[in-house]
């Protein structure tokens, strides 16, 4: 069996995501099993997912994915390199994934590899990176400048977010010495964070904007029917849309307790902790704190992730690699993959919550940390009755008949 891994957030699953899965099967064969490492209730931009993770996983399986697994929480709130490494390491640990498919604005695998090699190179590229960082550039911009100095065409790739992630996936494969074969798929539709759908293929941020404005019906033509159905049912049950604004005061109440030294555990010791501390004292909501703290050196996404890590008590010392595998949804071919994983997976696999009690003591702190994050996420549900804790232990994977 060809088993292809995909790293995703599906926040929410839309027509562009369906296009990527279809193109992956077109390249590898219609019988290919697609296993997705998907962000859970918190996403890489430093925010809460618009819909709970089991619902999003259900939508993906209804629309072509075969097995949905949760990307480690720490990886979900890391920069592109940690996000990519955590997700790819999870897929590699399954021991049966043969390929890794990802979207890119320029799906030229040879060129992407050139950029990846230069981003890891010693000598002149490393020196250029250090100089750019010393000049106050954020890491992503510094890396682009360093790569471009050695190879302008490869450096130009890093101006596009999906190309950047593609390069990080290749770096993760190299670091892990993984046998997974990369497959670059040309990204179609609207640009990342664009609000204008292109060819009926929207960006997820555009859909989230529609949802937070109560414009659900406008999402219908931009999503597969099954995904729209899952979303509609979640909204009808007052489970979605989930917005960070609903927990702004809860976040602020926690952040006001922290000192700069406390904050450094979540963002490092390069001065951001002091800017965060001042912004937290001087402002009264999350967006205003971010606006006050961000600079060219400390871009918005990094600030948002640092604040979210502080609220969740998730220090940067927690590595992005997984301690276990959590199954969120299963399709027909996914069952075959799960059976194979019994003999190949290097990590404990959690399908039902009761399994957690049997796992080694060394894994229990990670389980407790992740359970807390889900309980804090629940505070943002539209329906107050759903804001109780312990929901993680009442949920089991969606299984496609």
């Amino acid at each position: 069996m060809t088993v292809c891994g995909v790293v995703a957030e599906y926040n929410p699953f839309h027509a562009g995501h369906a296009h990527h899965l279809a193109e992956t099967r077109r390249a590898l064969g219609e019988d290919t099993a697609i296993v997705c490492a998907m962000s859970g209730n918190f996403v890489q931009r430093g925010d809460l997912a618009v819909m709970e993770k089991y619902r999003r996983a259900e939508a993906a399986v209804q629309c072509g994915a075969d097995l949905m697994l949760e990307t480690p929480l720490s990886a979900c709130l890391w920069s592109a390199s940690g996000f990519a490494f955590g997700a790819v390491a999870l897929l590699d640990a399954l021991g049966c994934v043969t390929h890794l498919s990802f979207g890119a604005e320029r799906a030229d695998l040879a060129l992407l590899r050139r950029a990846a090699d230069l981003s890891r190179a010693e000598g002149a590229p490393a020196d250029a990176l250090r100089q750019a960082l010393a000049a106050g550039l954020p890491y992503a911009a510094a890396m682009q400048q360093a790569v471009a100095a050695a190879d302008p065409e490869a450096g130009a790739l890093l101006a596009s977010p999906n190309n950047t992630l593609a390069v990080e996936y290749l770096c993760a494969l190299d670091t892990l010495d993984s046998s997974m074969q990369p497959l670059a798929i040309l990204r179609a539709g609207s640009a990342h964070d664009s609000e204008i759908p292109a060819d009926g293929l929207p960006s997820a941020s555009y859909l989230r904007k529609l949802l937070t404005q109560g414009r659900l019906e406008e999402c219908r033509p931009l999503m597969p029917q099954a995904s729209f159905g899952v979303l509609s049912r979640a909204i009808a049950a007052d489970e979605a849309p989930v917005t960070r604004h609903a927990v702004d005061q809860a976040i602020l109440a926690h952040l006001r307790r922290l000192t700069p030294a406390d904050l450094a555990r979540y963002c490092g010791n390069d001065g951001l902790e002091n800017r965060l501390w001042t912004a937290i004292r001087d402002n009264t909501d999350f967006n205003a704190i971010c606006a006050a703290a961000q600079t060219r050196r400390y871009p918005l996404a990094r600030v948002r992730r640092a604040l979210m890590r502080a609220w969740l008590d998730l220090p940067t010392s927690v590595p992005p690699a997984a301690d276990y595998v959590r199954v969120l949804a299963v399709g027909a071919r996914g069952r075959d993959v799960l059976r194979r994983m019994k003999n190949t997976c290097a990590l404990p696999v959690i399908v039902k919550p009761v399994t957690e009690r049997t796992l080694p003591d060394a894994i229990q702190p990670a389980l407790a940390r992740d359970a807390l994050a889900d309980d804090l996420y629940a505070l943002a549900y539209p329906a107050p009755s759903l804001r109780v804790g312990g929901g993680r232990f009442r949920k089991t994977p969606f299984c496609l008949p």
Side-chain angles (χ1 to χ4, degrees):
M1 179 191 295
T2 299
V3 181
C4 186
V6 170
V7 180
E9 292 197 313
Y10 297 153
N11 186 33
F13 190 99
H14 56 63
H17 298 134
H19 170 81
H20 174 243
L21 297 187
E23 287 298 297
T24 296
R25 284 206 173 92
R26 188 178 69 81
L28 298 178
E30 289 303 315
D31 291 334
T32 298
I34 293 180
V35 178
C36 299
M38 186 190 78
S39 299
N41 287 331
F42 295 87
V43 293
Q44 203 255 343
R45 64 194 297 268
D47 206 349
L48 285 69
V50 75
M51 187 165 58
E52 187 268 342
K53 60 188 178 184
Y54 282 93
R55 289 278 199 175
R56 288 171 23 246
E58 175 188 350
V61 164
Q62 296 262 26
C63 296
D66 295 302
L67 183 62
M68 299 298 299
L69 310 174
E70 183 176 1
T71 297
L73 175 64
S74 183
C76 294
L77 291 173
W78 210 289
S79 63
S81 60
F83 174 77
F85 180 84
V88 173
L90 176 71
L91 293 168
D92 187 63
L94 304 186
C96 60
V97 179
T98 58
H99 294 75
L100 178 70
S101 174
F102 46 82
E105 285 89 359
R106 185 170 178 184
D108 183 334
L109 193 55
L111 185 57
L112 291 167
R113 282 190 183 279
R114 275 161 48 191
D117 290 343
L118 285 168
S119 72
R120 293 160 51 86
E122 297 298 328
D127 292 340
L129 175 62
R130 285 190 287 269
Q131 291 171 7
L133 290 172
L137 286 181
Y139 183 84
M143 179 59 75
Q144 181 187 359
Q145 182 172 301
V147 171
D151 185 333
E153 188 179 16
L157 286 177
L158 300 180
S160 301
N162 287 285
N163 286 342
T164 299
L165 270 176
V167 167
E168 294 296 349
Y169 295 143
L170 294 174
C171 289
L173 290 173
D174 288 343
T175 299
L176 294 163
D177 193 21
S178 175
S179 63
M180 290 188 290
Q181 297 300 304
L183 173 65
I185 301 293
L186 182 64
R187 190 180 189 278
S190 297
H192 182 76
D193 279 344
S194 171
E195 295 188 353
I196 303 174
D199 301 324
L201 301 179
S203 68
S205 61
Y206 179 69
L207 290 176
R208 292 194 298 271
K209 179 179 179 179
L210 294 179
L211 291 173
T212 56
Q213 294 177 348
R215 298 157 63 186
L216 173 62
E217 278 302 313
E218 294 181 47
C219 298
R220 185 189 292 273
L222 305 175
M223 304 174 68
Q225 182 178 352
S227 178
F228 182 80
V230 172
L231 176 61
S232 299
R233 290 192 295 274
I235 290 175
D238 275 343
E239 295 179 14
V242 172
T243 64
R244 194 219 59 257
H245 176 72
V247 289
D248 260 9
Q249 292 306 300
I251 295 173
L252 185 60
H254 179 76
L255 295 178
R256 287 272 175 92
R257 293 178 169 88
L258 304 180
T259 66
D262 294 327
L263 289 165
R265 296 177 60 230
Y266 310 108
C267 67
N269 289 285
D270 64 348
L272 177 57
E273 71 276 18
N274 296 313
R275 291 192 64 85
L276 289 177
W277 185 71
T278 300
I280 290 164
R281 289 174 50 204
D282 293 348
N283 295 278
T284 59
D285 67 74
F286 191 91
N287 287 340
I289 293 170
C290 291
Q294 75 173 106
T295 64
R296 185 176 74 156
R297 184 177 185 183
Y298 309 124
L300 177 60
R302 182 185 172 192
V303 170
R304 293 169 65 97
R305 287 192 296 268
L307 294 174
M308 201 58 65
R309 278 180 169 269
W311 184 47
L312 299 178
D313 191 20
L314 182 66
T316 55
S317 59
V318 176
D323 294 293
Y324 63 89
V325 177
R326 183 175 298 278
V327 178
L328 300 176
V330 186
R333 280 176 289 221
R335 294 183 181 89
D336 293 335
V337 177
L338 276 177
R339 283 191 287 270
R340 183 175 296 193
M341 284 167 51
K342 289 181 181 179
N343 298 317
T344 63
C345 189
L347 297 171
V349 179
I350 299 173
V351 179
K352 296 182 179 180
V354 68
T355 308
E356 297 188 16
R357 300 190 181 96
T358 67
L359 296 183
D361 290 344
I363 296 177
Q364 296 303 320
L367 292 168
R369 181 175 59 243
D370 295 348
L372 172 63
D374 287 348
D375 283 351
L376 293 177
Y377 176 87
L379 295 174
Y381 279 129
S385 62
L386 298 177
R387 297 173 189 167
V388 296
R392 179 190 198 108
F393 305 106
R394 295 188 293 271
K395 293 179 179 178
T396 55
F398 169 81
C399 294
L400 190 68

